[in-house]
Amino acid sequence: MTMDAALPLQETRAAELGGCQHCGESLPPDAIRADGKAFCCNGCAAAASWIRAAALGDYYSLRTSPGGRVQADAGDFGTWDRDVVLAEHSRIVPGGREITVLTDAMRCAACAWLIDRALRRLPGVLDAGANAVTGRITVAWDPARTALSPLMQRLAALGYRPWLATGEAREQAQRRERRRWLIRLGVAGLGAIQAMMFAEALYLDTAQQMPTATRDFFRWITFLVSTPVVFYSGWPFLEGMLRELRGRRLGMDTLIAGSTLLAYFASLAQTVRGGVHVWYDAAVMFVLLLLVARMFEQRGRGIASAQVDALARARPALAMRERDDGSAEQVPLGELEIGDVLRVCAGEAVPADGVLLDRASSFDEALITGESTPVRREIGDAALAGSICREESARLRVTRTGADTRLSQLTRLVEQAQSARPRLARAAERVAGGFVVALLLCAAATFAWWHVHEPARALEVTLALLVVSCPCALSLAIPTALTSAHGALARMGVLGLRGDALSTLARVDRVVLDKTGTLSTGRPELDRVATFDGLDAQQALAICAALEHGSAHPLARAFAHVDGIAVAQNVRAIGGRGIEGDVGGTRWRLGRAEFAAAREDDGALWLGDGARAFARITVRETMRDDARDAIAALREVGVAVELCSGDAADAVGRFARQVGIEDVNARQSPEQKLGRVRAAQARGDVVAMVGDGLNDAPVLAGADVSLAMAEGAALAQRAADFVVTSPSLLRVPQAIVLARRTQRIVWQNLAWALGYNVLAIPLAATGHVTPWIAAVGMAASSLLVTVNALRLGRREADTRRSA
């Protein structure tokens, strides 16, 4: 088939609209024309020519949307042939190796069709498969016949630029685990259907008229179909019981596995000796329903941990590093060093933390901060690993790599928050453990009573009691809710660092705010510089920049772009007053007037030697766009707001008036701020402190709960209970609302779990519940608390949309 014959309606429409025949984009004035068709670039023309030469022109008639634009310089994939890259991202398969790559250019099934056939025609390719839904391409090849790079080059030449799938090992492990659980669930489902079918025949023989041989046949068949359910599908519970017994404790899995084995072996004994009752159906139903409940629980945890998975995928596997001669090379991230210069193309993820060199650019930091609007970064500003470069390419100098990047810190913090076990959760686990012991004693007493009064039902009633009262819901009530809450907070842009902080946040009724870096953006700018005693402005700024060099204080940013910085030695920061150090053989002080120049404080920054003034510097700060809305939102949820700042009264008062805060305190040292927090706590208030997390460590530690705005130094160094990674101050009231919802759901779950057991245990002990009904009730109870906890994620999404 020729390319002319394969011209589809879409291509015709593209031609009529003046679009490229391959990718559909608008044609430039110097469009490439070949065989009567127009292309936007040489890359698209080459791709169309190859498709025609390979007799794959059907692609154009099958596709439902245009293909991706082909870059004329598709990139060098030679780095992909390195052993370190292949070892990390590919796996050994019979006959060669296999790799899964990602592309964002697949638009429809025809794209997958083209990729399949194009790759399979290349020498050395063993197999190829593309999934248009997930954007994944799997390629198996024989390294003895071809390298990986030519295959990737072919993909890029067709307009499907491949990317290494970072976090693929984690995703593969999760997929394997899901497959194992689905197989277990399938076996349990099939076995339960068969067991219930045969059990129904036995139950309907109420008059005991079924011949013994037929009855035994049904029982042995039921035994055969129940065995794989109990020992294969139920293996996670059996394995959990073994762990608990080795640890010399009784837990939920011990009760689940014990009840299942009791029903199974008691039924086997009755089958062998020709007893009256068997309970195979209860055993398999118990396993089936618990597997369903456990999978719902895992799904809830998976939704909550989606942030960790997304963070793991955010960083690219390779970086484009500049050589000394100006050329570029692709290198694995492990080879990056501080000081390297990287090139990041538009649409690519930043591989390491760095500062912009040549020109400003916009970066999408949604995954890191929770904000969907791209952020404009100027020359000298930080670009974060995992953010997406938008609009135009960027050059940056690496400042942090590997585990030191902010992205890696975020990943660790999210994992830490989700794995934390607060006091309430530990208490619930202890209660559940004690409940198991009490339940076993109760079951023994119940069996003894029924064995005396109605021996035929003793085992059945005891089994029903053990099953119906299994404390699954009690054990899940708190962890599931807290996991969902921390996942929702992470997606919102708030990370919890302390396990018990969420419950405290729910009880907050007073919020104390710092000004610089909290109500303001934390990016101050120089306003005016007045100098004295022969010191010129440039010299004064150079001394200030030297003193502030390396400082984490927000005001240090005002001197970040000063030229001709000197070197400061013996630098020492004095909390709430300023900073001092030796520059050019002179001891200088920078800070409040009485500290730096022995003058009366006027709200400005002064440079002096402690006795004389050499410069007076004023700095202006910008209010956060949503600061006023955040204060109003705090008041709406019944939280009093107080502004407590170390800055001058005029600046603090101006900010307070703009956002509507009446309780204002200026020129407060960290110790004075802590004193105000202590006074509020003495009045019975539950106080939350919101600050920059760097200069207010005493008050952050002294407050009942603290939140640090994450713009600045390393997250792990912050003395706070929560880190707000989003630049929006609205995340503070939203976090309080979510914490309160979490507490309500925790108590709802606990009330249901306890109420269910209070009602179910007497019914089971008195013989009013059969074992299979007990299994349904227990599984339904576990599902209810899990689904109730998942509501937190839905409400969080609604909150963010409304914000």
Side-chain angles (χ1 to χ4, degrees):
M1 179 183 292
T2 66
M3 191 172 179
D4 293 331
L7 184 65
L9 292 176
Q10 279 195 352
E11 247 183 79
T12 304
R13 285 196 296 268
E16 292 171 351
L17 296 174
C20 174
Q21 301 295 337
H22 181 74
C23 70
E25 293 190 11
S26 58
L27 293 173
D30 57 346
I32 308 298
R33 301 189 181 276
D35 297 330
K37 300 171 183 61
F39 302 93
C40 64
C41 61
N42 286 322
C44 285
S49 176
W50 186 90
I51 291 172
R52 180 177 67 241
L56 294 175
D58 285 344
Y59 159 69
Y60 291 105
S61 59
L62 293 172
R63 68 180 185 176
T64 57
S65 58
R69 182 172 181 174
V70 181
Q71 300 294 330
D73 180 10
D76 178 15
F77 294 94
T79 305
W80 292 42
D81 295 329
R82 292 188 181 182
D83 291 340
V84 63
V85 176
L86 293 176
E88 181 177 356
H89 296 280
S90 68
R91 51 206 164 271
I92 297 175
V93 296
R97 302 191 70 89
E98 184 180 80
I99 191 171
T100 299
V101 297
L102 305 177
T103 183
D104 56 3
M106 273 195 285
R107 307 287 195 270
C108 61
C111 294
W113 178 89
L114 176 63
I115 290 171
D116 286 351
R117 282 152 182 79
L119 288 177
R120 288 175 179 173
R121 295 188 179 205
L122 297 177
V125 173
L126 305 176
D127 193 15
N131 188 320
V133 176
T134 63
R136 279 176 162 75
I137 303 169
T138 301
V139 185
W141 78 102
D142 181 0
R145 297 175 57 196
T146 182
L148 176 61
S149 54
L151 312 183
M152 299 300 101
Q153 193 75 36
R154 170 53 59 202
L155 282 175
L158 292 174
Y160 304 102
R161 173 68 183 265
W163 310 94
L164 285 171
T166 53
E168 182 67 18
R170 179 192 183 102
E171 292 184 11
Q172 282 184 353
Q174 291 175 341
R175 286 197 295 269
R176 286 195 298 269
E177 184 67 15
R178 282 195 297 268
R179 281 197 296 269
R180 279 196 295 266
W181 277 87
L182 286 173
I183 293 173
R184 293 187 195 278
L185 184 62
V187 171
L190 291 174
I193 292 172
Q194 298 299 319
M196 290 297 293
M197 181 178 67
F198 293 120
E200 185 70 18
L202 296 172
Y203 285 139
L204 292 177
D205 184 29
T206 56
Q208 302 296 318
Q209 296 177 346
M210 183 181 293
T212 301
T214 304
R215 183 201 66 184
D216 290 346
F217 172 76
F218 281 139
R219 287 183 175 182
W220 283 110
I221 289 295
T222 309
F223 162 76
L224 291 177
V225 299
S226 300
T227 299
V229 176
V230 171
F231 293 101
Y232 174 72
S233 298
W235 176 248
F237 308 114
L238 299 176
E239 187 179 35
M241 179 183 70
L242 294 175
R243 283 196 303 268
E244 291 174 354
L245 293 179
R246 282 196 296 266
R248 296 185 178 182
R249 64 185 181 90
L250 297 177
M252 186 170 59
D253 283 339
T254 299
L255 197 55
I256 293 171
S259 301
T260 303
L261 293 177
L262 176 62
Y264 176 81
F265 285 112
S267 300
L268 179 58
Q270 291 287 75
T271 300
V272 172
R273 59 190 290 268
V276 179
H277 297 292
V278 292
W279 303 277
Y280 293 117
D281 57 324
V284 296
M285 285 294 292
F286 197 29
V287 171
L288 172 64
L289 294 173
L290 276 170
L291 279 176
V292 173
R294 189 66 63 90
M295 288 190 70
F296 266 92
E297 176 196 349
Q298 289 184 341
R299 175 171 172 75
R301 293 181 182 275
I303 293 173
S305 64
Q307 184 79 359
V308 176
D309 297 336
L311 289 170
R313 293 191 300 266
R315 221 167 33 151
L318 301 171
M320 188 68 71
R321 182 174 64 185
E322 283 191 5
R323 298 188 180 97
D324 294 338
D325 59 4
S327 61
E329 61 175 343
Q330 273 194 328
V331 296
L333 295 193
E335 296 183 9
L336 291 181
E337 297 179 356
I338 295 175
D340 285 346
V341 176
L342 305 181
R343 297 179 185 177
V344 184
C345 297
E348 292 184 354
V350 178
D353 289 353
V355 293
L356 289 180
L357 294 179
D358 293 339
R359 57 175 178 268
S361 186
S362 295
F363 294 87
D364 184 351
E365 300 176 354
L367 188 62
I368 303 171
T369 66
E371 299 299 316
S372 58
T373 304
V375 179
R376 186 73 175 174
R377 299 295 187 192
E378 303 296 332
I379 297 175
D381 286 349
L384 301 178
S387 60
I388 306 299
C389 183
R390 298 298 186 194
E391 297 177 1
E392 54 186 336
S393 60
R395 290 178 71 246
L396 56 91
R397 187 177 303 281
V398 175
T399 57
R400 286 182 293 195
T401 64
D404 295 330
T405 64
R406 183 150 162 183
L407 179 70
S408 298
Q409 294 170 14
L410 282 175
T411 303
R412 290 195 298 271
L413 291 178
V414 173
E415 290 175 338
Q416 173 187 328
Q418 292 180 351
S419 62
R421 296 170 63 249
R423 285 191 299 267
L424 188 58
R426 294 194 295 270
E429 289 181 3
R430 287 194 298 269
V431 169
F435 183 83
V436 171
V437 177
L439 181 60
L440 291 175
L441 295 175
C442 180
T446 300
F447 179 82
W449 191 93
W450 279 92
H451 187 69
V452 172
H453 294 85
E454 192 175 346
R457 295 196 63 198
L459 188 58
E460 176 184 337
V461 172
T462 303
L463 181 60
L465 174 64
L466 289 172
V467 172
V468 79
S469 55
C470 180
C472 298
L474 182 60
S475 298
L476 293 174
I478 298 174
T480 308
L482 294 180
T483 300
S484 296
H486 279 294
L489 283 172
R491 291 190 297 274
M492 184 188 294
V494 180
L495 301 181
L497 308 185
R498 311 283 188 272
D500 297 311
L502 196 63
S503 60
T504 307
L505 186 64
R507 297 184 287 110
V508 163
D509 51 24
R510 175 173 289 271
V511 169
V512 178
L513 296 167
D514 187 25
K515 178 180 75 70
T516 302
T518 304
L519 283 180
S520 71
T521 59
R523 292 186 289 273
E525 299 176 355
L526 293 175
D527 187 13
R528 296 179 181 177
V529 180
T531 57
F532 318 101
D533 282 356
L535 190 71
D536 63 39
Q538 187 59 40
Q539 289 175 322
L541 290 177
I543 294 171
C544 293
L547 293 172
E548 293 284 10
H549 181 68
S551 172
H553 195 287
L555 287 177
R557 296 189 180 187
F559 304 98
H561 303 294
V562 173
D563 296 327
I565 300 177
V567 177
Q569 297 176 331
N570 305 317
V571 178
R572 184 169 68 100
I574 294 88
R577 303 183 67 191
I579 191 169
E580 64 178 355
D582 299 327
V583 180
T586 303
R587 189 70 174 174
W588 295 95
R589 289 185 174 185
L590 175 66
R592 293 167 63 165
E594 67 270 20
F595 167 72
R599 295 193 177 196
E600 184 178 352
D601 180 39
D602 62 354
L605 276 175
W606 287 79
L607 177 66
D609 58 7
R612 293 180 300 163
F614 287 87
R616 180 182 183 273
I617 304 164
T618 57
V619 176
R620 52 176 190 270
E621 294 183 85
T622 304
M623 180 79 67
R624 288 185 188 269
D625 294 336
D626 58 359
R628 188 176 185 86
D629 293 336
I631 303 304
L634 286 170
R635 290 205 176 95
E636 286 180 5
V637 297
V639 176
V641 182
E642 178 180 347
L643 178 57
C644 202
S645 173
D647 291 347
D650 290 343
V652 175
R654 184 172 63 254
F655 266 69
R657 287 190 296 273
Q658 291 177 358
V659 298
I661 299 177
E662 299 177 356
D663 193 349
V664 182
N665 299 279
R667 281 306 185 199
Q668 299 287 298
S669 67
E671 292 76 17
Q672 290 173 317
K673 293 179 183 179
L674 180 59
R676 297 199 62 84
V677 168
R678 296 292 192 211
Q681 290 171 331
R683 296 193 300 267
D685 292 341
V686 179
V687 181
M689 176 67 193
V690 184
D692 58 26
L694 298 168
N695 310 295
D696 298 320
V699 67
L700 285 171
D704 294 290
V705 64
S706 53
L707 300 94
M709 306 304 291
E711 297 169 348
L715 301 176
Q717 299 175 0
R718 296 180 181 272
D721 299 308
F722 293 91
V723 172
V724 183
T725 62
S726 168
S728 172
L729 199 60
L730 275 170
R731 297 299 179 247
V732 175
Q734 289 170 0
I736 293 174
V737 170
L738 183 62
R740 292 176 178 177
R741 287 176 178 165
T742 302
Q743 290 301 104
R744 286 198 298 270
I745 284 180
V746 164
W747 290 115
Q748 288 170 6
N749 284 353
L750 285 174
W752 166 256
L754 294 173
Y756 163 79
N757 281 289
V758 168
L759 178 65
I761 289 176
L763 289 175
T766 55
H768 291 87
V769 178
T770 61
W772 74 269
I773 292 178
V776 173
M778 186 278 309
S781 177
S782 300
L783 284 173
L784 183 63
V785 297
T786 301
V787 172
N788 191 38
L790 292 179
R791 293 191 300 132
L792 287 167
R794 291 197 296 271
R795 289 191 176 187
E796 172 266 335
D798 294 340
T799 299
R800 290 183 64 195
R801 281 195 294 268
S802 63

